[in-house]
Every structure is written in structure tokens, then in C-alpha cells.
Amino acid sequence: MKLFRLLSCAVVFLLVAAGTAAAGQTSLRAADPSVLRVGSTYVAVQSSGGGIVARQATSPDGLASAPARRIWSDSSGRGEVWAPEIVTDGGRFYVYFSAGTGAAHRMYVISSAVADSGYTAETQLALPDGKWAIDGTMFTFGGQRWFVWSGWAGDTNVEQNLYIARMSTPTTPTGGRYIISQPRESWERVVGTPFINEAPAAIKDPNGQLHITYSANGSWSDQYCIAEVRLRAGGDPTYVWDWYKSNGCLFGSHRETMMAGWDPTLYVDGPGSHSFVLLNGDIATSPPAGPKFPLMFHAVPKGTPYSWANRYWYTGTFCWWGSTTYHRANVPGATTDTGWGLKFFE
């Protein structure tokens, strides 16, 4: 059965590598897609014009041309609005986003019973330690709500780490913040400073293990790429050494930073911030092994100067890749961990 799963994913890979599938560039010139499926409707949120808009369509490809309905405006002058993330909990929609200027960026949340209207005023999340925070999102794993985000250890912009904290409700963090990843590997320090781990996205593999994918290297560079940390079977999400990091980028445009066995992109440069398009945005609905499933990410078309202004939303796919071993050294615990990995396709 595992061989079949690997082969079905490999067939997708070979078709893309042979050039039979074109890159799924949409007409939406924007960054940081967040998309989920509710029944047969796909819902996306995007920062736009000092606020947040929502779109709904019958397919991921249709989101770019769908009407953009404003669901929140920065009437309080919060500042730059970045990377809204839409999730559901208890039949209600929650949109998490960062706002601020410079070192003032913090995480906020709004909620509604309807995907594209009726949202509450923003509330700042009282994240542990109260430091600079962006790119946060909530998910449920092991019967517990969790919040994961990118932030600073202190009050200066030295590096961006990934942190996790428990949530007692969708708007209430509880307990401490725990680091789960720092940009310390050579392949994620090609571009700095600062060196970054950002744009985390949670997903659960066919064995029930938790994965947090993220973007590494500067978003201002075509070295931007997607990597991951995988929680070992039975591991504690708050214990950093229970997380194993991929040994290179899993989705990127430079071969020298790719993990062995993973190939660089053909059509785009710097694929980064991304969204697993899951039913209700719930990682309990993560896909089984074998088939490919919808993905949205932002990138810059190859042959186009790399800049924030030239980023587009792309539709793509992903699938699980079995027997993927991650190696590490000079840290507590086992030096290797084998489990499911991820393959991404344009």
C-alpha cells in the first residue's frame, strides 16, 4: 500500500516535471493567500487597501475573479495589515491578522457567523510575552486549540522564530509561548538580515502526526521557500526537541537549497506563504496518502523581476511523501526521525 501511495504521488511529480501541467498563476496580484472550503464553496481572505476583504468561489481558480467584499477596515489606525488567516471553530469564522508599524506589529482577531460579512471589531490577542508577532493562525490538535505564529525573541529585529501557545478559546491564548523553530540551518540563512521563519501552516499527516510548514529566507528575495517541522509521533508540541526540521526547502526555486530528492520550481521564483485548502480549514480533514490536493501559494513568475509588488496568488497541489527521514545533530533526542513528508507542485 505504501508503494502505491508513493507511486501515485510520483506520477503527479513526473507529469509536472515533463511540463504537461502549466503553473496555476491567477490574475490576483497579491501575497499571503488563506483559503478554506465550506461545503462546495471556497473562501479566501486577503489584506487590501488598509483592511481585509473576503472572496467566495466554486473553485480555487475562481477566487481571483470573485467579488472582493470588505470585512474589516482599519478605522483605528492600527497600521500595516498583513497576512490574514481564516479558520472556523464551532461553526463561526475567525480571521487572524497582524497590524502595526515596525516593532509595533501584533496579532488581532475578528469573527463572524458568515464568511464574508458581519465581523466583529478587532481584538488584540494577548499572546504570551507580548512581543512582535505576525502570520498567526489557530488549529486544533490532540483535542487542544493551538496558536502558531512568527515572532521575535525580544524587542529587536534579529531573527523571526516560530512560536506556539495553547488557546482556551479561539480568542484567548493561555499559558506560555514555546519556540518550535529558529532559522539556524545554512539553507534558511541564504538571505538576511533578519533571518526568518514565518507564514506557518498546520496540517496533519495520514499517521496523525502534526506538521508545521513555513517560509524561510527573506520574502524580498527569490530564495524565499517553503520548509517544515514535523512533530515526532507522540511528541509534545511545546517541546522544541520533539520537532524535526526538513533538511532543506521542500518548495523553492533554487536547487542548492532544496532537500535531497526535492526539485526546484519550473515556472515561479520564491514560492512562499501558502494555504492548504482543507474542508472548514480543519486539519482533521487533512488528506490521505496518494492523491494530490489543492494548495494556494504566492510567488513571482519566472522571468519577472523579483519584488513584493510582483507577487501573484497561484493554485497548485500537494501530496504526502512516505518514508521521509529528517536528520539533525548536537541536540537532545534521536538524531533522525522518519515519517510522512510533503511534495508541492506548481
Side-chain angles (χ1 to χ4, degrees):
M1 179 60 72
K2 182 174 287 187
L3 179 61
F4 170 77
R5 290 169 176 171
L6 287 173
L7 287 174
S8 60
C9 197
V11 168
V12 175
F13 177 74
L14 290 172
L15 286 174
V16 173
T20 58
Q25 183 180 343
T26 74
S27 60
L28 190 57
R29 202 165 184 160
D32 307 320
S34 177
V35 185
L36 53 76
R37 178 169 66 86
V38 181
S40 59
T41 300
Y42 292 83
V43 181
V45 291
Q46 168 203 352
S47 60
S48 177
I52 300 171
V53 298
R55 302 169 186 269
Q56 298 190 80
T58 57
S59 70
D61 291 301
L63 287 167
S65 58
R69 298 192 61 179
R70 185 164 292 273
I71 60 171
W72 180 79
S73 294
D74 186 15
S75 57
S76 300
R78 299 285 186 185
E80 300 157 338
V81 179
W82 290 349
E85 289 283 332
I86 187 168
V87 305
T88 63
D89 187 286
R92 193 168 178 85
F93 294 90
Y94 294 85
V95 176
Y96 301 93
F97 62 95
S98 61
T101 302
H105 272 277
R106 297 296 186 272
M107 291 302 308
Y108 295 84
V109 61
I110 57 177
S111 68
S112 176
V114 181
D116 64 350
S117 64
Y119 279 84
T120 62
E122 75 277 11
T123 299
Q124 183 177 335
L125 286 182
L127 291 174
D129 296 339
K131 304 297 184 182
W132 185 91
I134 66 167
D135 294 356
T137 190
M138 187 192 72
F139 62 93
T140 298
F141 176 73
Q144 169 69 54
R145 293 184 184 93
W146 300 92
F147 195 78
V148 63
W149 72 99
S150 177
W152 298 346
D155 297 314
T156 57
N157 191 9
V158 177
E159 63 181 6
Q160 291 175 223
N161 306 316
L162 298 185
Y163 294 95
I164 197 168
R166 293 180 175 87
M167 300 277 282
S168 58
T169 74
T171 58
T172 310
T174 183
R177 71 169 181 168
Y178 301 90
I179 198 164
I180 62 172
S181 182
Q182 294 174 279
R184 300 292 175 84
E185 301 299 320
S186 61
W187 52 267
E188 57 185 347
R189 295 175 68 86
V190 177
V191 174
T193 56
F195 300 108
I196 65 166
N197 285 177
E198 64 184 14
I203 193 165
K204 191 165 64 173
D205 72 26
N207 287 343
Q209 288 175 242
L210 178 62
H211 299 240
I212 302 290
T213 54
Y214 66 93
S215 297
N217 290 310
S219 64
W220 55 93
S221 160
D222 64 6
Q223 292 280 357
Y224 207 45
C225 71
I226 295 173
E228 76 150 332
V229 286
R230 179 179 65 211
L231 186 67
R232 70 170 181 84
D236 177 357
T238 69
Y239 181 55
V240 65
W241 302 124
D242 279 350
W243 293 93
Y244 285 76
K245 182 173 290 191
S246 58
N247 297 123
C249 303
L250 303 179
F251 196 33
S253 54
H254 289 263
R255 183 171 295 279
E256 63 270 20
T257 59
M258 300 299 293
M259 181 164 160
W262 272 250
D263 289 318
T265 51
L266 297 173
Y267 307 108
V268 302
D269 283 327
S273 184
H274 59 293
S275 185
F276 298 110
V277 184
L278 303 177
L279 179 62
N280 299 319
D282 183 358
I283 69 169
T285 68
S286 294
K292 59 178 181 176
F293 289 85
L295 174 80
M296 289 205 79
F297 62 95
H298 81 231
V300 172
K302 277 193 182 295
T304 301
Y306 196 92
S307 70
W308 286 348
N310 285 337
R311 294 175 296 186
Y312 287 83
W313 281 20
Y314 283 80
T315 58
T317 55
F318 71 97
C319 68
W320 293 108
W321 196 257
S323 300
T324 301
T325 299
Y326 297 152
H327 303 267
R328 65 187 189 184
N330 305 316
V331 298
T335 57
T336 62
D337 183 78
T338 299
W340 289 101
L342 288 154
K343 288 274 188 176
F344 297 93
F345 309 102
E346 299 167 272

